[in-house]
Amino acid sequence: MKYASAEVRKQFFTEMFTRDISLEDCVLDLIDNSIDSYLVKHGISTAQLIFGSDGTDPGRPPGAINVTCTERQIKVADTCGGISRPRAVNDIFCFGYEEAPHRGRLGAYGVGMKRALFKIGNNFHIVSRTAQEGFEVSLKVDDWVEQEEWRIPITFIEGADSEKKAGTSITITELHEEVAQRIKQGGVPNNILNDAATTYPYFLDRCVTLNINNTDVSPEPVPLGEKDGVVKSANEKFEQNGVRVTLVATIAPGQRTTEQAGWYILCNGRVVVRGNKDDLTGWGSDLASFQPKYRSFAGLASFESDDPLRLPWTTTKRGINRESGVFIQARGLMATMSKPILSFLNSQYPSDPTTETADIRGAVEGVTRIDFKDIASRPPSGFSYKAPKKKEKKTDWVRFQASVASLDKVRRHVRRPSLTPSDIGKLTLDHFVKTECAAD
Amino acid sequence: MSETSSSYRVQYDLRPAKQVERRMIIDALQRLSTAGFPITDYQYTGFGAIYFVDFILFHKLLGMSRLLSLEQEPSLISRVEFNKPFSCVDTRMFPASSEIPNLSRDIQHIVWLDYDGVMDKSFLSDIQSAMTILSPGSVLLVTVDVEPPEDYDYKEVDPDFDSSKKVLGPKEWKDYFEYHASSFLRLGLSEEDFGKSKLVLRSAEILRAAFTKSIVARPELEFLPMFHFVYKDSHKMLSMGGMITGRAEKRQLRASTLRDTVYYRDTFDAPPFEITVPRLTRKERAYLDRQMPCADGWVPDEFVLEAEEVRRYSEIYRFLPAFAEILL
């Protein structure tokens, strides 16, 4: 038997698969690892963060993640617990996921950190300490590529001594020219900050704090709204193949931009798709194509699993694998539950507006923010709109033309020449009610 | 007032082929009931318009009392309310697109999307909704007009179309179907495939693809065909439908007596059941009925009727209405 060579080449990892991800998403991959360390260390499930109380715990200081992004280096340092020596030696530098059960929540494929390191620069330095033990790795990637072996030198160092200080620091230097160029152009730290704010609303300030170039990142939750007794959101739940799915679709509160509208998709609490309004979530195929009149539409789809490999995310965690069975099932429901909301938003713009149109517009404008967990805790139901009850009219106008002669007759009769026409109207009506009508 | 609303165009209660279809569906539901499906407790959702013919039959013959009629023509509201035949009929002046998604997940349904127009993307979207949310044991039935699209249908595809300058033909009908259902059509279809006589086949392929597309998203369930009718009172119509089943419902359906009937179709691969109503006088019908069910090849002695016509009559006589004038 003859064989064709099918060997792995290091260049594939250092030069090829780094092309399919943005610089910003690479940094987010490193942040994912920090968050994951914290979750694993404290045994926190993503369900607790999404559906539990606010996720904070006074007895558990939040992990701090600090990101530095300059033309010279990108550094992500955290106090999230550190990486154990066995994982460092046997797992984290391997390409592909470990066979052992996945303990992490946000790490699935075993590519994120390596891809980020290779994408960003030629030199990286990792120091990680748990309370008990630590390790250090320094590598020049171009030298490593030349070598035959698929291994990386590692040095064991002392632990951090305290749980509070335990953490990992990753520093990448000798940035690749194109990466340095992009950072020089400006905007990258801002992008990372904005991306992180919208990607980690269920983690930031609940279990970790994040700081980018000395600026704190505040979470930006997915905007969902309702109006008490008038606008009620749709929600659905199901489980498939170990993935728990919760879907909510509703009207977003406040003034919305087209960019913010659409579906948000969470995988284990991490936002992987933001404001989607294309075929991925049914727009333009099962639903109408997106138009600005739908800009108040907001949907949130949460996929959660103890085994992150079962989630429908792509390796960049910025997209969805359309061939995922659980996503295919969810997508049908997402499109279906959106339809009544689109009809409702459509009805704001009829060919001839009525008072009902004003009610509908009022309802859209009047929705206020509601938490995902509050909607998700209810039994599944469809979107509903109930027109607000009309206030019963207590008064109405009486307006008519009367002859000057008859008005003067009344003035003479009551001997009050200064009465205005309006006074006369009121006087005569009161008189009629008093003298001719039965008492209430 | 919309001239396209069929309530204004069609005298619903005087369509014999349609009535045969309704009676066959009721026959099927009675058989399902015998097979253990609690049809009486099902909710029926349909388009009752102002006649409510199906609602009357479903309530009286099947004992169903959860009945919901959807109507999207606002100018009909007072007539819809006035003509509501029973207090248990709930009417909502909303399109199916906003009501189907909110049907209860906790009960079983019979949903008849009895459209009076030619294929439209909104129909496919409604099918998607129904197939996504209906609980196992529910029955979904879809009826569409399979005549060529009319000028006003085509205007949606090409707003500049001028009917005084051009007559629609297979090319425009192809454009029309591609506009509304491109992802449901198979590749490589030519203009000839959209000739008038082929539109029933194209429409059937589209409906079938629409059923499949949405049911595969629910891996534990199947959509089992039951009905595939073609009939014509004025326009040629196509109805296709079946049941959403899990394993239990599938067994139950297979064990029912539906397969003993002439109209049951357990696959859409088989040709549709064509409802053809022979033109017979009252006296001829009374004569034929006395011989029914008849042996194969039997023909009457008293007057000339071809064996094929007798065969067709023998398939539908149980379901065929007799119309008479009543003086109100």
Side-chain angles (χ1 to χ4, degrees):
Chain A
M1 175 73 79
K2 287 191 169 61
Y3 290 96
S5 169
E7 66 192 26
V8 189
R9 295 185 176 133
K10 285 182 179 173
Q11 284 86 349
F12 170 76
F13 294 100
T14 58
E15 290 169 27
M16 304 297 165
F17 91 144
T18 52
R19 292 175 182 230
D20 305 330
I21 186 166
S22 70
L23 175 59
E24 288 85 346
D25 281 333
C26 277
V27 176
L28 262 58
D29 251 332
L30 298 176
I31 298 172
D32 281 344
N33 287 345
S34 295
I35 296 176
D36 220 4
S37 280
Y38 188 87
L39 298 180
V40 171
K41 180 181 170 189
H42 295 280
I44 304 168
S45 72
T46 50
Q48 261 169 279
L49 294 170
I50 307 169
F51 303 113
S53 53
D54 69 353
T56 54
D57 179 348
R60 192 188 69 208
I65 305 169
N66 289 295
V67 177
T68 316
C69 172
T70 68
E71 298 155 39
R72 305 250 300 280
Q73 67 163 16
I74 288 181
K75 180 176 177 182
V76 177
D78 70 57
T79 57
C80 291
I83 302 161
S84 72
R85 280 181 188 169
R87 281 201 69 215
V89 172
N90 300 319
D91 181 32
I92 65 163
F93 292 104
C94 292
F95 295 89
Y97 62 86
E98 57 185 330
E99 288 298 335
H102 297 276
R103 298 190 312 137
R105 314 278 188 265
L106 300 182
Y109 299 106
V111 297
M113 181 186 76
K114 277 83 68 183
R115 180 162 53 185
L117 299 174
F118 295 152
K119 166 98 183 180
I120 295 169
N122 185 44
N123 196 339
F124 65 82
H125 180 68
I126 299 177
V127 182
S128 184
R129 291 187 177 91
T130 63
Q132 297 78 28
E133 56 186 24
F135 74 89
E136 199 172 352
V137 166
S138 271
L139 194 77
K140 262 191 168 313
V141 178
D142 53 2
D143 290 346
W144 178 75
V145 169
E146 299 299 317
Q147 293 160 16
E148 286 276 308
E149 294 94 5
W150 286 76
R151 58 188 190 185
I152 287 172
I154 185 167
T155 311
F156 289 159
I157 57 172
E158 290 197 343
D161 269 347
S162 84
E163 292 289 349
K164 222 171 152 184
K165 288 186 199 154
T168 302
S169 155
I170 298 175
T171 312
I172 311 163
T173 51
E174 291 180 39
L175 301 198
H176 294 308
E177 211 180 311
E178 341 46 289
V179 172
Q181 224 174 347
R182 266 212 68 205
I183 298 172
K184 253 184 230 165
Q185 277 188 317
V188 173
N190 269 334
N191 292 347
I192 297 173
L193 187 137
N194 292 333
D195 286 353
T198 51
T199 300
Y200 304 116
Y202 293 97
F203 302 102
L204 293 179
D205 299 346
R206 295 186 183 203
C207 61
V208 295
T209 59
L210 177 63
N211 177 294
I212 294 166
N213 287 3
N214 296 319
T215 306
D216 289 332
V217 184
S218 303
E220 266 182 45
V222 180
L224 302 171
E226 284 195 348
K227 187 170 179 186
D228 215 15
V230 180
V231 173
K232 193 163 161 261
S233 50
N235 83 90
E236 295 280 354
K237 290 183 200 77
F238 71 94
E239 190 168 338
Q240 194 197 107
N241 190 27
V243 181
R244 297 172 292 278
V245 182
T246 312
L247 309 170
V248 164
T250 188
I251 305 292
Q255 275 296 317
R256 310 308 302 170
T257 62
T258 294
E259 195 191 356
Q260 292 166 315
W263 277 98
Y264 291 74
I265 303 177
L266 304 181
C267 285
N268 272 359
R270 186 199 200 268
V271 177
V272 295
V273 168
R274 292 170 287 196
N276 182 279
K277 34 200 168 284
D278 63 26
D279 182 59
L280 176 72
T281 51
W283 291 90
S285 50
D286 297 321
L287 298 173
S289 294
F290 183 84
Q291 296 170 40
K293 65 181 170 184
Y294 300 134
R295 66 182 170 271
S296 292
F297 174 87
L300 181 52
S302 162
F303 296 82
E304 237 201 299
S305 177
D306 301 332
D307 177 358
L309 272 178
R310 295 179 187 224
L311 296 171
W313 48 13
T314 58
T315 68
T316 60
K317 297 178 202 161
R318 242 331 140 231
I320 288 294
N321 171 24
R322 287 280 300 261
E323 288 70 43
S324 146
V326 67
F327 182 72
I328 291 172
Q329 181 168 3
R331 184 178 177 275
L333 279 166
M334 286 156 74
T336 302
M337 66 202 286
S338 305
K339 286 172 195 168
I341 302 176
L342 302 197
S343 304
F344 171 68
L345 290 172
N346 249 333
S347 59
Q348 290 183 97
Y349 308 98
S351 43
D352 43 344
T354 58
T355 51
E356 210 188 344
T357 318
D359 287 344
I360 292 170
R361 288 187 188 170
V364 172
E365 282 160 20
V367 299
T368 52
R369 188 176 280 274
I370 177 166
D371 266 1
F372 181 51
K373 66 174 186 322
D374 294 333
I375 304 172
S377 64
R378 300 180 198 144
S381 70
F383 175 82
S384 71
Y385 163 71
K386 281 198 191 86
K389 280 203 183 110
K390 293 265 179 300
K391 281 188 197 137
E392 208 185 319
K393 262 187 161 178
K394 289 267 162 66
T395 60
D396 213 339
W397 287 99
V398 182
R399 201 181 277 149
F400 59 95
Q401 291 280 318
S403 74
V404 175
S406 62
L407 291 172
D408 281 341
K409 253 189 198 172
V410 177
R411 287 189 185 107
R412 276 197 302 276
H413 185 83
V414 297
R415 296 192 186 134
R416 291 168 67 187
S418 60
L419 284 180
T420 63
S422 157
D423 293 338
I424 294 170
K426 192 158 173 0
L427 185 83
T428 51
L429 180 72
D430 286 348
H431 176 74
F432 184 87
V433 171
K434 222 184 277 171
T435 58
E436 301 294 338
C437 303
D440 288 331
Chain B
M1 190 180 289
S2 157
E3 59 181 282
T4 54
S5 173
S6 70
S7 289
Y8 292 117
R9 286 192 281 130
V10 187
Q11 187 79 7
Y12 269 104
D13 43 1
L14 291 182
R15 296 190 291 169
K18 179 82 191 170
Q19 188 64 6
V20 170
E21 181 193 36
R22 289 192 194 106
R23 301 299 294 236
M24 285 179 167
I25 289 163
I26 284 165
D27 186 72
L29 294 172
Q30 281 165 336
R31 287 167 189 268
L32 289 181
S33 193
T34 311
F37 291 96
I39 298 292
T40 328
D41 300 331
Y42 276 44
Q43 174 174 319
Y44 174 62
T45 301
F47 306 146
I50 53 175
Y51 296 97
F52 294 98
V53 184
D54 40 350
F55 287 77
I56 294 168
L57 293 172
F58 280 40
H59 182 57
K60 288 195 171 174
L61 301 181
L62 296 169
M64 297 176 68
S65 50
R66 282 183 213 214
L67 305 164
L68 171 63
S69 178
L70 305 177
E71 173 59 56
Q72 59 174 339
E73 175 53 52
S75 65
L76 282 172
I77 184 162
S78 60
R79 297 185 65 190
V80 165
E81 284 303 316
F82 180 78
N83 288 295
K84 215 164 79 168
F86 311 109
S87 68
C88 57
V89 177
D90 186 10
T91 53
R92 290 195 203 147
M93 301 301 290
F94 290 108
S97 64
S98 31
E99 290 300 313
I100 303 284
N102 289 351
L103 291 179
S104 167
R105 277 50 162 178
D106 303 329
I107 55 172
Q108 289 160 314
H109 295 265
I110 295 162
V111 175
W112 189 353
L113 303 173
D114 192 0
Y115 303 110
D116 48 45
V118 290
M119 190 61 72
D120 187 288
K121 57 173 101 170
S122 67
F123 303 171
L124 300 169
S125 173
D126 292 343
I127 294 172
Q128 189 270 339
S129 300
M131 293 296 277
T132 303
I133 62 107
L134 290 180
S135 51
S138 298
V139 174
L140 174 66
L141 192 62
V142 183
T143 302
V144 292
D145 186 327
V146 289
E147 296 292 332
E150 307 263 3
D151 293 354
Y152 57 77
D153 298 315
Y154 188 69
K155 278 251 178 201
E156 199 187 340
V157 182
D158 177 9
D160 299 330
F161 171 71
D162 183 351
S163 54
S164 64
K165 290 185 182 147
K166 200 171 176 193
V167 178
L168 296 180
K171 181 185 176 302
E172 289 77 23
W173 299 334
K174 178 168 183 272
D175 289 347
Y176 178 88
F177 276 84
E178 284 173 346
Y179 174 82
H180 283 280
S182 69
S183 67
F184 298 90
L185 287 164
R186 59 191 167 80
L187 291 177
L189 291 169
S190 66
E191 277 177 30
E192 278 180 9
D193 294 316
F194 291 85
K196 190 176 175 193
S197 66
K198 302 284 175 58
L199 295 180
V200 59
L201 201 59
R202 293 291 88 78
S203 300
E205 284 167 359
I206 292 167
L207 290 183
R208 201 175 157 172
F211 294 138
T212 308
K213 182 187 169 192
S214 299
I215 201 67
V216 293
R218 304 172 78 181
E220 74 288 9
L221 302 179
E222 275 183 85
F223 185 66
L224 297 186
M226 288 165 59
F227 305 114
H228 189 185
F229 295 114
V230 172
Y231 57 93
K232 180 171 178 163
D233 288 302
S234 57
H235 278 207
K236 192 169 195 177
M237 306 297 286
L238 165 75
S239 289
M240 292 171 87
M243 185 188 277
I244 293 170
T245 66
R247 283 166 66 182
E249 294 81 13
K250 185 177 178 174
R251 261 200 312 275
Q252 224 175 332
L253 176 64
R254 292 268 152 91
S256 75
T257 57
L258 260 183
R259 59 181 59 256
D260 303 337
T261 66
V262 284
Y263 56 78
Y264 177 62
R265 293 288 181 273
D266 63 357
T267 161
F268 293 134
D269 289 332
F273 181 82
E274 290 195 36
I275 302 171
T276 319
V277 179
R279 284 156 200 261
L280 297 167
T281 66
R282 224 167 40 187
K283 211 170 159 186
E284 286 163 351
R285 267 187 75 177
Y287 176 85
L288 291 176
D289 282 356
R290 271 175 44 212
Q291 309 299 325
M292 295 292 145
C294 65
D296 283 351
W298 176 86
V299 284
D301 308 327
E302 311 268 328
F303 55 94
V304 176
L305 204 58
E306 285 179 21
E308 177 58 17
E309 278 180 284
V310 175
R311 190 190 62 77
R312 283 176 182 275
Y313 182 74
S314 73
E315 284 181 350
I316 63 161
Y317 73 96
R318 286 181 47 231
F319 310 102
L320 186 62
F323 295 122
E325 182 186 21
I326 44 170
L327 297 173
L328 289 170

